[in-house]
Amino acid sequence: MNILGIIPARYASSRFPGKPLVDIAGKSMIQRVYEQGKKCQDLTEVIVATDDHRIFDHVKSFGGEVVMTADTHQSGTDRCAEVALAYTHYDVIINIQGDEPYIDPEQISKLAACFNTPDAQIATLIKRIKTEQELHNPNSPKVVVNKLDEAVYFSRSALPHIRGEEPQNWLEFYPFFKHIGIYGYRADILQQITKLPISPLEKAESLEQLRWIENGYRIKVAETELETYAIDTPADLDLIK
């Protein structure tokens, strides 16, 4: 398979403007993400997709591949779809989060391996939840998985509900998983899902992957033991440093 890794990067983040260019131990965040992506041998090519000339020029300065995209996209998925239209020889597109500077190439490979299954349409990663704090954190989406290793539902709430047990004890009774926000898509499926209107479930939970499930698309999951650290705010940056 030919697999294209795309790193969506925008400057105008409401919680952390300009974060792709923030310095982390001598390198920008976007450079660190790009270099981690390039280490993955399962990716044929890695490209940064941005709508800002400051990011574009910076990626060029360290020798990275970068393309300009429209500034009207509502999500990284939409930005990936625009790039994929110009790179039609790729079978699979992997959306690498631009705010995870230390993403492990092994996680990207694990995601890419999901597409060795011919009927895999979309894929993502999950990780076992081990603490009560993480289980009940609404900023950490949870995933319910079926026996076919497909996502049944994503929620900001802890699902399933363990009837008759106190919430602080739920981890003793069921294997809960959190979502790791990296996606892979068959190239044709990517174009299809970006044409779907916002769905009621997506609007309720503010999770775009629910739009795909609600419209009948299947999301393959692979479990990882590796943690990822996303930088959403300046406080996150202090923590990761």
Side-chain angles (χ1 to χ4, degrees):
M1 287 185 296
N2 287 322
I3 303 179
L4 174 62
I6 301 177
I7 307 169
R10 65 189 186 99
Y11 192 92
S13 168
S14 59
R15 288 185 291 180
F16 196 167
K19 76 176 175 180
L21 301 181
V22 71
D23 181 84
I24 302 175
K27 292 182 180 179
S28 67
M29 179 158 64
I30 193 63
Q31 182 173 355
R32 291 195 174 277
V33 177
Y34 183 85
E35 290 177 350
Q36 290 301 99
K38 291 290 285 185
K39 292 177 185 176
C40 179
Q41 297 183 351
D42 290 293
L43 297 181
T44 310
E45 189 175 2
V46 179
I47 296 174
V48 174
T50 187
D51 60 359
D52 190 276
H53 282 286
R54 287 163 289 190
I55 297 173
F56 182 94
D57 293 341
H58 174 68
V59 175
K60 284 289 187 182
S61 74
F62 65 73
E65 294 294 325
V66 58
V67 296
M68 286 293 294
T69 58
D71 61 3
T72 53
H73 295 307
Q74 298 299 308
S75 69
T77 304
D78 295 331
R79 202 172 303 281
C80 287
E82 179 186 342
V83 176
L85 283 174
Y87 291 80
T88 56
H89 54 291
Y90 285 99
D91 306 298
V92 171
I93 309 297
I94 291 185
N95 178 352
I96 303 170
Q97 300 298 307
D99 58 3
E100 295 181 2
Y102 297 114
I103 186 169
D104 196 300
E106 180 183 323
Q107 290 180 308
I108 303 173
S109 291
K110 187 177 285 287
L111 184 66
C114 291
F115 294 94
N116 292 331
T117 303
D119 62 349
Q121 297 179 316
I122 306 168
T124 194
L125 297 181
I126 60 173
K127 185 177 185 294
R128 184 80 174 263
I129 294 175
K130 298 181 179 179
T131 68
E132 179 190 348
Q133 179 183 12
E134 192 170 51
L135 177 62
H136 297 289
N137 179 2
N139 294 319
S140 178
K142 271 64 70 175
V143 192
V144 179
V145 180
N146 65 20
K147 292 184 177 180
L148 300 177
D149 291 325
E150 294 176 345
V152 175
Y153 191 74
F154 294 80
S155 181
R156 297 186 181 277
S157 300
L159 290 179
H161 177 90
I162 307 300
R163 185 177 181 185
E165 300 294 338
E166 294 298 321
Q168 63 266 29
N169 300 326
W170 284 3
L171 288 174
E172 301 174 20
F173 297 92
Y174 191 83
F176 290 86
F177 293 95
K178 71 173 182 177
H179 180 221
I180 303 295
I182 179 173
Y183 295 106
Y185 330 82
R186 296 275 180 197
D188 59 332
I189 297 296
L190 174 58
Q191 298 305 323
Q192 292 174 27
I193 62 177
T194 53
K195 293 180 174 63
L196 299 172
I198 293 175
S199 73
L201 288 178
E202 176 188 11
K203 189 174 183 180
E205 296 261 18
S206 191
L207 296 172
E208 69 170 332
Q209 58 270 40
L210 291 175
R211 184 192 316 182
W212 314 334
I213 289 177
E214 199 165 358
N215 282 277
Y217 289 89
R218 301 188 309 278
I219 304 177
K220 194 81 172 173
V221 299
E223 184 178 355
T224 177
E225 295 296 326
L226 300 173
E227 190 57 86
T228 58
Y229 299 94
I231 297 176
D232 293 319
T233 67
D236 296 331
L237 181 63
D238 293 337
L239 182 64
I240 202 169
K241 283 182 176 180

